[in-house]
């Protein structure tokens, strides 16, 4: 089997202790995904596995065998920005930029979750599939991604803009 | 971090067979085990990945549901039958961790997750009777804000950190366990052990056994229910105190009530005494307060966590009032 990273197949590592994060950064030179806490507490290492947002620091690379991994490098390029990347620039959704790849990967999956009707802790009516992404909903749904520069207002503005564009 | 092998179990039977080898551990999402391996708290010789096994939510004959142990927490929380019939469970799961962690974490792993006690997690620098039996406890004289006020012992006051399990305790959930000799079922409230003098033995699960499913009995009719979590920040933090509660009123009296606490005990804490005291009577502030206080009469308060007795009382009182609403 193989791990498909941004459409390219790579063999799983022989040493099963290698995290997906280390495989991406150290063996594949995909340094967009960042190492923050390395213990699940900050979200800087967020990537998508089969479209779902996960923490690559707490994922062993072998666990992703046979699955499809998307990193920030797979979401957009400098020539062809992902709408969230463009919105983060527009709204000053970062200062140092360290948390940004994780924020954008998480936000991309979060918008899909909301469109699919997945509830959050703040969703008052659990019987409905219609999720309205208020500012508070976005804050709660993005709480797994910390920003030590405190760029949260811009981050939320950027996400709300893209969420608004997607609304039917 | 030193495991040597990794295999994906093709079936529960194979998982039980391979998992019974000494030193080998089952692997769910890895959100706890991978972290503990990196910290040197756990050192399995091999990992059996169970996430390819039955991860379904199915209807049971008795009107309840069966949730496969490898089902991801986010899938359970968003499942239409859980949202409509057991909203307390959805809310408890959604109160825990972050969307990323919930996407990874499995139901089985959630039950089996270890405590977040700082000293348990500090293999290099701290004494911990749970990690190294007989070595002592640095929490009792140290930082104990997140520790237990009931159910603890002189050896250990660590809390079980799960939100999901608190709702499962209130819902009378059962744990379906497979082992070399077949399948058995235990009540969730009997699944976790109190520490006593062996805090290293946390559940009734034998090393050769695995959790295959959670069984939820048919939902109680007309029960208003909810989950409230009090924590140091608004989201993505473990509970200081949490309450799963269900209430139904009839003619101004409590017809049925369910109460379980998180964050205050070594296991998900079903408060049967509070339930018995409140059943059949009107919800009057004085009697409600007395019923809750009786549950905490034997609380062992430490300097860092003494506030939790009052916090637990107020959190439950607020929830009961909210659930009673117009029916009170
Ligand atoms: C940053 C962070 C914040 C968190 N915040 C919260 C929170 O607020 N509330 C909360 O409730 N939780 C929280 N969690 C904990 C999280 O819920 C648990 O880590 C998760 O539920 C564990 O599930 P897993 O599948 O990843 O388990 P794993 O890490 O894969 O396994 C954990 C244990 O379960 C065993 N195991 C797994 N499956 C089975 C099975 N089928 N049968 C028997 N044993 C099994 C493993 O051998 C291991 O010992 C947080 C975690 C992190 C990293
Ligand atoms: S580096 Fe993975 S959560 Fe912080
Ligand atoms: S922009 Fe610096 S950490 Fe978020």
């Amino acid at each position: 089997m193989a791990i498909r990273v941004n459409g390219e197949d790579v063999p799983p590592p022989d040493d099963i202790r290698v995290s997906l994060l280390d495989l991406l950064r150290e063996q594949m030179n995909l340094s967009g995904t960042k190492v923050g806490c390395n213990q699940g507490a900050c979200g800087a290492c967020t990537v998508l596995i089969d479209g779902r947002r996960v923490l690559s620091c707490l994922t062993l690379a072998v666990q992703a065998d046979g699955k499809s991994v998307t990193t920030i490098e797979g979401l957009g390029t400098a020539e062809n920005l992902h709408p969230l990347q463009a919105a983060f620039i527009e709204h000053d959704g970062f200062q140092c930029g360290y948390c940004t790849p994780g924020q954008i990967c998480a936000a991309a999956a979060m918008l899909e979750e909301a469109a699919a009707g997945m509830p959050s802790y703040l969703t008052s009516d659990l019987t409905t599939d219609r999720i309205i992404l208020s500012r508070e909903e976005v804050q709660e749904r993005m709480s797994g991604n910390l920003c030590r520069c405190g760029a949260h207002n811009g981050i939320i503005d950027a996400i709300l803009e893209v969420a608004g564009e997607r609304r039917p | 971090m030193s495991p040597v092998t990794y295999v994906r179990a093709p079936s529960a039977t194979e998982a039980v067979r391979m998992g019974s080898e000494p030193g080998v551990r089952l692997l769910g999402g890895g959100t706890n085990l991978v972290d503990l391996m990196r910290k040197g708290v756990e050192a399995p010789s091999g990992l059996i990945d169970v996430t390819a096994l039955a991860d379904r939510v199915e209807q049971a004959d008795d009107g309840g549901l069966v949730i496969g142990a490898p089902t991801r927490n986010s899938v359970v929380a968003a499942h239409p039958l859980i949202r409509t019939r057991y909203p307390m469970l959805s809310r408890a799961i959604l109160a825990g961790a972050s969307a990323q962690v919930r996407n990874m974490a499995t139901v089985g792993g959630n039950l089996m997750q270890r405590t977040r006690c700082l000293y348990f997690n500090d293999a290099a620098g701290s004494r911990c009777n749970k990690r190294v039996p007989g070595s002592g406890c640095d929490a009792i004289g140290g930082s104990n804000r997140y520790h237990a006020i009931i159910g603890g012992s002189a050896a250990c006051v660590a809390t079980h950190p799960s939100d999901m399990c608190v709702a499962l305790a209130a819902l009378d959930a059962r744990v379906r366990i497979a082992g070399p000799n077949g399948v058995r079922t235990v009540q969730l409230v009997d699944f976790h052990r109190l520490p006593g003098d062996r805090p290293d033995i946390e559940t009734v699960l034998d090393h050769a056994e695995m959790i295959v499913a959670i069984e939820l009995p048919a939902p109680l009719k007309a029960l208003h229910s909810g989950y409230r979590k009090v924590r140091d920040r608004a989201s993505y933090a473990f509970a200081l105190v949490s309450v799963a509660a269900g209430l139904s009123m009839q003619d101004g009296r409590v017809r049925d009530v369910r109460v379980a606490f998180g964050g205050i005990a070594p296991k998900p804490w079903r408060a049967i005494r509070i339930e018995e005291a409140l059943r059949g009577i009107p919800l009057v502030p004085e009697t409600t307060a007395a019923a809750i206080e009786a549950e905490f009469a034997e609380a062992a308060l430490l300097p860092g966590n003494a506030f939790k007795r009052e916090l637990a009382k107020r959190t439950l009182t607020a929830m009961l009032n909210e659930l009673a609403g117009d029916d009170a």
Side-chain angles (χ1 to χ4, degrees), chain A residues 1 14-19 22 38-43 46 52-60 62-67 102 106 113 116-129 131 139-141 143-146, chain B residues 1-6 8 27-32 34-35 37-39 47 49 51 72 74-75 77-78 82-84 86-88 90-92 94-95 97-104 116 227-231 233-236:
Chain A
M1 283 221 272
D14 293 331
D15 184 348
I16 73 125
R17 297 169 301 176
V18 174
S19 68
D22 286 346
N38 215 25
Q39 54 178 355
C42 76
T46 302
R52 294 181 318 171
R53 47 177 165 163
V54 299
L55 301 175
S56 60
C57 71
L58 293 186
T59 303
L60 298 174
V62 287
Q63 288 177 281
D65 198 6
K67 302 190 175 153
E113 292 165 9
M118 284 176 74
S120 84
Y121 185 58
L122 291 188
T123 310
S124 51
D125 180 4
L126 284 180
T127 61
T128 177
D129 273 346
I131 302 296
Q139 284 169 345
E140 165 60 25
R141 287 166 189 265
S143 71
N145 291 80
L146 308 190
Chain B
M1 235 169 118
S2 59
V4 286
T5 57
Y6 169 89
R8 278 188 198 163
L27 180 67
T31 59
N32 192 218
V34 169
D35 188 32
M37 280 157 48
R38 194 172 289 145
K39 289 177 175 149
L47 297 172
D49 187 332
T51 55
R72 308 285 177 174
S74 53
V75 171
I82 308 274
R83 280 157 76 164
T84 50
Y86 308 93
M88 177 205 282
S90 282
R91 295 211 184 278
L94 294 168
S98 66
Q100 287 95 319
V101 174
R102 295 191 297 268
N103 272 340
M104 303 166 73
R116 307 304 288 202
Y227 187 77
R228 190 179 284 206
K229 180 173 179 181
V230 184
R231 39 190 157 171
R233 60 183 184 199
S235 186
Y236 203 15

Side-chain angles (χ1 to χ4, degrees), chain A residues 3 11 18 22 26-27 48 81 97 109-110 133 144 149 154 163:
Chain A
I3 308 171
V18 174
D22 286 346
E26 284 164 26
Q27 301 186 20
L48 311 180
L81 292 178
M110 187 277 286
L133 284 179
C149 296

Side-chain angles (χ1 to χ4, degrees), chain A:
Chain A
M1 283 221 272
I3 308 171
R4 177 157 289 194
V5 179
N6 301 331
E8 187 192 325
D9 280 351
V10 289
D14 293 331
D15 184 348
I16 73 125
R17 297 169 301 176
V18 174
S19 68
L20 178 59
L21 177 58
D22 286 346
L23 178 92
L24 294 170
R25 288 179 56 86
E26 284 164 26
Q27 301 186 20
M28 301 187 67
N29 285 319
L30 290 171
S31 55
T33 309
K34 300 297 185 230
V35 196
C37 63
N38 215 25
Q39 54 178 355
C42 76
C45 66
T46 302
V47 299
L48 311 180
I49 295 187
D50 293 341
R52 294 181 318 171
R53 47 177 165 163
V54 299
L55 301 175
S56 60
C57 71
L58 293 186
T59 303
L60 298 174
V62 287
Q63 288 177 281
D65 198 6
K67 302 190 175 153
S68 177
V69 179
T70 306
T71 68
I72 189 69
E73 290 91 345
L75 273 188
T77 60
E79 297 72 41
N80 189 11
L81 292 178
H82 185 279
L84 281 164
Q85 290 175 313
F88 268 62
I89 296 171
E90 172 78 10
H91 291 277
D92 287 330
F94 46 79
Q95 283 182 33
C96 76
Y98 199 79
C99 70
T100 316
Q103 299 276 6
I104 290 179
C105 285
M110 187 277 286
L111 294 175
E112 298 300 327
E113 292 165 9
M118 284 176 74
S120 84
Y121 185 58
L122 291 188
T123 310
S124 51
D125 180 4
L126 284 180
T127 61
T128 177
D129 273 346
R130 245 185 81 81
I131 302 296
I132 295 165
L133 284 179
S134 63
R135 194 169 191 90
E136 291 70 31
E137 273 278 4
V138 173
Q139 284 169 345
E140 165 60 25
R141 287 166 189 265
M142 291 295 296
S143 71
N145 291 80
L146 308 190
C147 173
R148 59 148 297 171
C149 296
H152 300 95
N153 286 335
I155 293 170
I156 306 293
D157 288 342
I159 296 171
L160 281 170
E161 181 191 300
V162 178
E165 285 164 7
R166 286 173 48 121
R167 206 165 281 164

